[in-house]
Amino acid sequence: MDDFRFAVIADAHFHDIEGDYGITGPTFEGRRLSLRSWAESSISTRVFNESHAAFIEALRQIRDDGIRDVVLLGDYSDDGQRATLATLSTLLRGQSALGLRFHALPGNHDIFALAGRHHNKEFISADGGRVTVSSRLDGGDVHYPPMYCDGYPAGLSPMKDFGFFRRADDRYWESPFGLSDRVEDRLYEVVSPDGQSRHRLMDASYLIEPSDGVWFMMIDANVFAPRNGFATGFAEDAFEDSTSAGWNGMLVHKPFIVDWISDVQDRARRQGKKLLLFSHYPVLDPFEDDAGLESRLFGSTSFGQRKPQGKVAARLLATGGGIHFSGHLHVHRTTRVADGNRSLVNVALPSLVAFPAGWKSVTVADDAVRLQDRALSGLAADLRIAEAYRAEAEAAGEEPDPAFSASTYGAFLSAHLRALIDRRYVARDWPAVYHDLIDRLNYEEACAKAGMECTMPSPQNASFRSVVCDWYFLRFGGAAARREIAAERLATYEGLRISDAPRDIASESEFLRLFLAMLGHFARQAKNDETVFPWPCEHRIALSAR
C-alpha cells in the first residue's frame, strides 16, 4: 500500500473570541471581541483566548502539508458550550470545503453525562472589568443560556458530520453495536455502586477506514458513573465527572468496548488492515512512574488520580496491543509495554493551548508508523489580547504579567507555565512545609541536602526555583522541553539517580532527594523520545502469513 498521512490534534479547547457570549467586550478596529479573563487563564492548565488562532494555525499547517485526514482527539471545545460548538461546527465545515476531513472523539470537556451541566465563565468587559457569564439564571453577572454544555446525545449533534455518525462517502463505518449509527442502537447501561440508579447512555465510539487498508478505532472513553440516590439522570450531580475515570473506569463501566477492540483486532489481522487506536485518555502512564514516586512526593494530586492502572495495559495487550493515541493530560510523551509478541504503545499528545503547543503528523507505512512533531511556538502573539489583559490588570489594580509582553505564542505559553508553577502546582500540590525551599536554596544546596552529587558548572548561579521550572517543563514537554533548557543543565539532570527512593517523605532531605530523582527520570525520558514504531510483532506475523 502507499503511505498514508494524517494529522492528530489533541485538546484544542476552541473558544470563539469573535462570538457573542452576551457581553460587551473590548473593541479593536471596530471589531468587538469576547475574551476570557486573564485572572482565570493565569490559574488554568490551559489558556483560553489564544485557542482561536492556535487552532486555525494548526489547520493551516495541515493543509499546507498536503494532509487531508485530521483526528480531533477530544476536548475540541473549550467546555462544550452550545454557542462554542455551533461556531466550531461552522469552522470545521468551512475547513472541509478546503479539503480536510475530520474524525472526532469526545473528551471530558465536550459533553457531560445524560443531560449536561451549567457553566460560569469570566470575561473581560469593554472597560477592562471582569464579568461572569452563566447559563444559570442566577449564576453570574450575565445570564446566557448558550453557555450550557449538553449531554449525550444532544451534545454530539453539532459534530454529527465529523465521524460520530455515518457519512455518505465513508469506505467503512461501524460502532461497537454493529452497522447502525442510530442513537437508539448505541446505548449501554451504567449502574451506581449501590445498584439503585440505572441509566442508559449513548456510546459514541466508531470504527472507520479513512484510507484503503487503514482502520481508525475511535474510542469514546468518557465514563460517567451514576452516583447513589438519583433515580433519574437529569440532575447535574447524578453522575461522577469523567475527568479522573478514563480507562480505569472503562474496564468497570464499558467492558463491551474491550470486547469490541478484541474483535476488531482479530478482523484487522485476518483482513490485513493496519489498525490504529484513539481515545481522549491515555492507556499507559505517560510518565512511566511505576513506583508511584509522584504520589509519595505530593500525595493524591489530580494527575495522580488520572493515571491508568496496570490492569488497563494488561487487558489491552490481551486484545492484541497496538498503537494508541491520547490527549487529556496536555503532555508530550510516548510510552510502551510489551508481553511476548504483543506490544502496546501510547502516544500522548500535547494540547494546542498549553506548553508545548503542537500537533502530530503521522505516516502509516507498510513497515511502521512514523511520527513528526509540528509546533505552534512561532505563531505571532495577538497584540489585541495582550492589550485587553493589560486593561484588565489596570482595572483590578494589578501588575501586568510578563506573559503580556511575549512576541510569540511559544514565549507566551512558556511565561504562562512559569507563572502557573507558583500559582497552581506548588500552591496546590506541594506540602506547605516545603514551599519556601524554592527561594531558600540554590541547586548546589538542594543537591547537598538530598545527598546527591551536583555536576552543573557554577551551580551557585542556578536557583532552585529555576530547577523547579525545568522539572515542570520536562514533565509536560518531554523532548519538546529540551529547547527551553540549557544543554549543561540537561546533562547534569540526566545523571540524577537514586537506588533507594524513600517510601514516606518525612524531611526536607527526603523531599529533595525524590524530587531531584524524578527530575533525572524526566530528563532521561526526554532524551529517548521515539518517533518510529514498527507494527506490533503479532500483526507482522499475521500479515506475512497471508
Side-chain angles (χ1 to χ4, degrees):
M1 59 166 267
D2 294 334
D3 289 356
F4 169 59
R5 295 177 66 217
F6 66 96
V8 187
I9 292 175
D11 300 277
H13 286 290
F14 176 78
H15 165 66
D16 180 17
I17 64 171
E18 298 176 351
D20 178 7
Y21 289 90
I23 64 161
T24 302
T27 301
F28 299 90
E29 298 179 351
R31 172 172 272 175
R32 180 175 60 81
L33 298 184
S34 295
L35 300 177
R36 299 282 300 281
S37 74
W38 174 252
E40 286 196 340
S41 295
S42 68
I43 57 172
S44 171
T45 56
R46 67 186 196 270
V47 297
F48 302 117
N49 303 309
E50 294 71 20
S51 64
H52 190 284
F55 190 47
I56 291 172
E57 171 64 11
L59 296 178
R60 183 198 65 77
Q61 291 180 358
I62 290 166
R63 292 197 314 272
D64 288 352
D65 277 5
I67 294 173
R68 176 175 182 256
D69 290 88
V70 183
V71 172
L72 298 179
L73 208 54
D75 284 2
Y76 38 74
S77 67
D78 170 47
D79 240 343
Q81 301 96 325
R82 290 169 178 165
T84 302
L85 284 175
T87 304
L88 177 61
S89 177
T90 299
L91 187 157
L92 294 181
R93 285 197 297 272
Q95 293 290 321
S96 297
L98 296 175
L100 296 185
R101 181 175 170 85
F102 296 96
H103 314 285
L105 277 172
N108 56 298
H109 281 271
D110 301 316
I111 198 163
F112 185 80
L114 185 59
R117 63 181 168 187
H118 287 282
H119 281 311
N120 300 331
K121 305 295 181 183
E122 190 175 73
F123 285 76
I124 305 174
S125 66
D127 60 1
R130 294 165 180 159
V131 178
T132 300
V133 179
S134 177
S135 56
R136 294 183 188 276
L137 185 59
D138 57 352
D141 303 305
V142 175
H143 176 224
Y144 188 66
M147 190 65 73
Y148 193 79
C149 168
D150 284 309
Y152 287 88
L156 296 177
S157 181
M159 301 291 287
K160 62 183 176 61
D161 297 329
F162 309 113
F164 292 126
F165 298 90
R166 188 189 312 278
R167 293 170 284 199
D169 60 347
D170 285 339
R171 289 179 180 85
Y172 182 77
W173 189 100
E174 72 173 51
S175 84
F177 308 94
L179 298 179
S180 172
D181 68 348
R182 299 192 313 162
V183 169
E184 54 266 37
D185 294 329
R186 301 165 69 183
L187 303 178
Y188 68 101
E189 186 177 58
V190 285
V191 183
S192 62
D194 64 4
Q196 299 302 306
S197 297
R198 295 176 176 270
H199 307 288
R200 291 179 65 78
L201 291 174
M202 176 187 173
D203 175 81
S205 304
Y206 59 98
L207 177 71
I208 197 166
E209 186 166 7
S211 180
D212 288 336
V214 177
W215 276 359
F216 284 178
M217 177 169 261
M218 310 293 288
I219 302 167
D220 176 6
N222 277 342
V223 174
F224 297 100
R227 290 191 169 107
N228 294 338
F230 290 89
T232 71
F234 293 96
E236 276 191 59
D237 50 358
F239 293 88
E240 298 283 352
D241 193 296
S242 62
T243 300
S244 296
W247 277 90
N248 299 327
M250 288 284 284
L251 298 187
V252 177
H253 296 283
K254 288 190 175 184
F256 65 90
I257 291 289
V258 179
D259 295 337
W260 180 54
I261 293 172
S262 183
D263 175 64
V264 172
Q265 291 272 24
D266 287 342
R267 284 187 279 146
R269 285 190 288 270
R270 291 198 305 269
Q271 298 178 37
K273 306 291 186 182
K274 290 178 166 58
L275 175 66
L276 295 171
L277 288 75
F278 304 85
S279 76
H280 182 60
Y281 306 87
V283 296
L284 299 175
D285 176 12
F287 305 112
E288 297 182 284
D289 185 15
D290 298 332
L293 300 185
E294 185 164 344
S295 62
R296 299 190 207 180
L297 192 66
F298 299 138
S300 179
T301 64
S302 60
F303 273 95
Q305 294 164 7
R306 301 178 191 192
K307 177 179 176 179
Q309 298 167 0
K311 60 186 177 183
V312 173
R315 290 290 298 277
L316 293 181
L317 279 169
T319 71
I323 301 170
H324 176 271
F325 294 81
S326 70
H328 189 49
L329 297 182
H330 300 185
V331 298
H332 178 274
R333 293 184 172 276
T334 302
T335 47
R336 164 205 305 259
V337 295
D339 182 11
N341 288 333
R342 297 181 175 187
S343 64
L344 178 64
V345 175
N346 190 88
V347 180
L349 272 79
S351 169
L352 293 190
V353 287
F355 174 86
W359 57 278
K360 284 190 186 289
S361 170
V362 183
T363 301
V364 178
D366 274 331
D367 60 336
V369 175
R370 294 177 171 84
L371 312 178
Q372 181 183 9
D373 295 324
R374 296 300 308 273
L376 298 180
S377 54
L379 179 66
D382 191 325
L383 300 181
R384 302 171 303 170
I385 298 175
E387 184 178 334
Y389 288 154
R390 289 192 184 92
E392 176 193 348
E394 182 178 358
E398 299 166 354
E399 291 294 317
D401 193 285
F404 304 167
S405 300
S407 60
T408 65
Y409 187 42
F412 176 80
L413 290 178
S414 293
H416 176 264
L417 178 54
R418 291 182 189 280
L420 199 62
I421 290 167
D422 271 338
R423 293 169 178 155
R424 183 181 181 109
Y425 297 121
V426 172
R428 298 186 185 185
D429 295 345
W430 287 39
V433 68
Y434 303 130
H435 284 189
D436 71 329
L437 292 175
I438 295 176
D439 292 314
R440 178 155 52 90
L441 303 176
N442 62 32
Y443 180 53
E444 185 175 32
E445 292 165 340
C447 286
K449 272 186 169 290
M452 303 173 77
E453 182 181 3
C454 173
T455 59
M456 185 188 295
S458 305
Q460 66 276 11
N461 295 325
S463 68
F464 188 54
R465 171 175 289 278
S466 69
V467 174
V468 170
C469 284
D470 291 346
W471 193 96
Y472 281 98
F473 271 80
L474 285 166
R475 185 183 193 280
F476 290 108
R482 295 180 68 86
R483 64 175 176 262
E484 300 280 335
I485 302 171
E488 64 181 23
R489 282 179 174 253
L490 288 168
T492 190
Y493 295 160
E494 289 164 16
L496 294 171
R497 301 176 185 267
I498 57 175
S499 57
D500 55 336
R503 175 61 57 181
D504 298 308
I505 304 299
S507 66
E508 285 185 359
S509 62
E510 289 176 336
F511 181 85
L512 291 167
R513 184 174 175 79
L514 190 50
F515 184 86
L516 293 173
M518 291 183 68
L519 175 60
H521 172 66
F522 293 156
R524 292 187 294 274
Q525 269 190 315
K527 188 177 183 180
N528 298 323
D529 187 48
E530 295 182 82
T531 58
V532 179
F533 297 96
W535 289 104
C537 183
E538 188 175 77
H539 180 84
R540 297 199 303 274
I541 292 171
L543 288 180
S544 65
R546 292 179 65 227

